[in-house]
Amino acid sequence: MSADPVTFSAPLQIWTNEAENSSVGFVILPAEAAEQVAGHELVRRLELGKRRGFGSVKVTAHVGSSTWDTSVFPQKGRESWFMAVKVGVRRAEAIEEGDLVEIELELH
């Protein structure tokens, strides 16, 4: 099954765990992109008869000239999805917290 790419813009958010001296960059998919991912996940679940771990969807993400394989995850209690943005990608693309990130996802 090959779905059309999902393209969107979202601000980069950073969650910091000061106790572990670590941080995670992520984006929350806007409503339209979230609906596309949710529809894809539903079709995959109907085809396979089960969900992937945590209901995630495997994707290939494109930000600027960076491409990587990752997953998007449903947000518990919300009708949206989120995706981590690796430190290496943030550095390579010079994106920081609050920057609007242009993203294209290939759904698998």
Side-chain angles (χ1 to χ4, degrees):
M1 175 180 156
S2 178
D4 290 334
V6 175
T7 58
F8 62 93
S9 299
L12 180 70
Q13 299 182 44
I14 304 289
W15 176 79
T16 302
N17 182 338
E18 293 180 15
E20 295 180 13
N21 196 27
S22 65
S23 65
V24 176
F26 65 96
V27 293
I28 297 174
L29 281 63
E32 186 175 320
E35 287 176 20
Q36 289 176 276
V37 172
H40 177 81
E41 191 275 334
L42 176 60
V43 169
R44 294 290 294 164
R45 187 170 9 125
L46 292 172
E47 288 176 347
L48 302 175
K50 62 181 178 176
R51 298 180 90 174
R52 289 192 71 244
F54 303 104
S56 65
V57 172
K58 287 186 178 185
V59 299
T60 299
H62 305 274
V63 173
S65 62
S66 298
T67 299
W68 73 103
D69 292 323
T70 189
S71 295
V72 293
F73 296 88
Q75 284 191 287
K76 187 174 182 176
R78 297 185 182 176
E79 293 185 13
S80 193
W81 295 71
F82 71 95
M83 179 186 80
V85 180
K86 301 189 309 186
V87 171
V89 171
R90 296 183 344 231
R91 288 182 183 146
E93 301 302 327
I95 52 177
E96 297 180 359
E97 184 171 20
D99 289 349
L100 196 59
V101 183
E102 301 287 331
I103 300 170
E104 179 178 289
L105 301 178
E106 296 173 38
L107 306 176
H108 302 290

